[in-house]
Amino acid sequence: MNIIRTTAMELSAVPAIAYKQKLATGGSGIKIQRMDVDASAMFTIDRRTGEATPYGPYDTELFPNEAILEARELTAGLPYTARGKIKVTVTEHTTPTEDVLDTDADKIDMVDSPEYAALIARYSDESGKLNYALMNKDFIQFASKSTVVGQMVAERASSDEILAYVVGNRAIQLTGRKENLSEQEIAGLIETLDEINPRSAFKELNLHIRQLLSRSK
């Protein structure tokens, strides 16, 4: 069965791999798996600070702080995709392998949608991480030119409503989709993008929206 996670990154601090995944309880976490011994550790990620909090007990000697910090750094900004679980067979020359993807697995959020794929393709840098500065700049330009956004500001729509309109309609433009996304689809798209960067994927865009609303008073 697929899980929604990033690609697995190999650590240099310890012989291990790490990836970030969406949690069934909400939010995201980082899993670190040793490649030399049968051991793993899980950490939840604070969406406001980006800090990692242990999700259950773990061996601090096998998973020192420098390994946790490196895992956070390497997985920050990596996009989610539906991937097989990682299998690690501990041998003298250990290499991680993915499970075969289950094509019948349920789609979670908007990870498998063409809109999500279009946004990732449009705003990812050469390392495969999302370029949030580029994404926010593009969204702000769209909002500044949109007569609908201007009307929403004049009518005192909430910042969340304007954010949803901007993200949803920019995604539609990039895919060439003719019909609108549903409220649930837009909410799922925003949540997934926001989880990739715990410090808010839409920080600059939200600031721009608040400035627009402030000027209209």
Side-chain angles (χ1 to χ4, degrees):
M1 182 177 182
N2 290 344
I3 57 175
I4 304 303
R5 66 172 178 82
T6 67
T7 56
M9 307 297 290
E10 188 167 354
L11 305 185
S12 60
V14 295
I17 57 170
Y19 57 87
K20 187 160 65 176
Q21 70 180 71
K22 288 180 69 68
L23 303 176
T25 54
S28 61
I30 292 178
K31 185 170 186 178
I32 305 176
Q33 291 184 245
R34 293 281 300 214
M35 298 175 66
D36 55 343
V37 293
D38 185 12
S40 64
M42 187 75 182
F43 303 86
T44 58
I45 304 300
D46 188 305
R47 293 182 64 176
R48 293 178 295 105
T49 65
E51 295 298 319
T53 302
Y55 188 72
Y58 70 98
D59 190 325
T60 56
E61 292 188 1
L62 292 177
F63 303 97
N65 285 334
E66 55 265 33
I68 299 170
L69 292 173
E70 184 182 13
R72 277 178 47 200
E73 181 180 349
L74 290 178
T75 59
L78 287 177
Y80 289 130
T81 51
R83 297 173 179 270
K85 293 182 180 180
I86 294 287
K87 288 182 178 179
V88 174
T89 303
V90 179
T91 63
E92 184 178 355
H93 302 288
T94 302
T95 56
T97 60
E98 293 185 7
D99 288 344
V100 176
L101 292 182
D102 181 0
T103 56
D104 294 327
D106 293 335
K107 293 182 179 181
I108 302 176
D109 298 301
M110 292 290 285
V111 171
D112 289 331
S113 70
E115 289 76 26
Y116 176 78
L119 291 169
I120 295 301
R122 175 82 175 189
Y123 304 120
S124 291
D125 58 24
E126 293 180 355
S127 67
K129 294 188 175 185
L130 276 182
N131 185 326
Y132 286 97
L134 176 62
M135 184 175 73
N136 276 268
K137 180 180 179 180
D138 187 61
F139 284 170
I140 289 171
Q141 289 177 343
F142 173 85
S144 299
K145 296 176 181 178
S146 171
T147 56
V148 175
V149 170
Q151 183 177 353
M152 293 177 74
V153 170
E155 294 175 353
R156 307 301 301 165
S158 70
S159 58
D160 287 342
E161 289 173 330
I162 297 174
L163 173 68
Y165 175 82
V166 172
V167 175
N169 281 269
R170 190 69 184 106
I172 288 173
Q173 283 186 350
L174 292 176
T175 58
R177 175 172 171 155
K178 298 186 182 300
E179 66 276 9
N180 291 330
L181 293 169
S182 69
E183 291 183 5
Q184 292 78 11
E185 288 174 322
I186 295 174
L189 196 60
I190 289 174
E191 180 183 359
T192 300
L193 288 169
D194 202 34
E195 283 183 359
I196 296 173
N197 183 356
R199 295 176 182 83
S200 178
F202 308 103
K203 183 177 180 180
E204 291 81 5
L205 176 58
N206 280 321
L207 176 60
H208 177 73
I209 292 172
R210 289 196 296 269
Q211 290 174 341
L212 291 177
L213 290 170
S214 177
R215 293 171 191 161
S216 69
K217 290 183 179 180

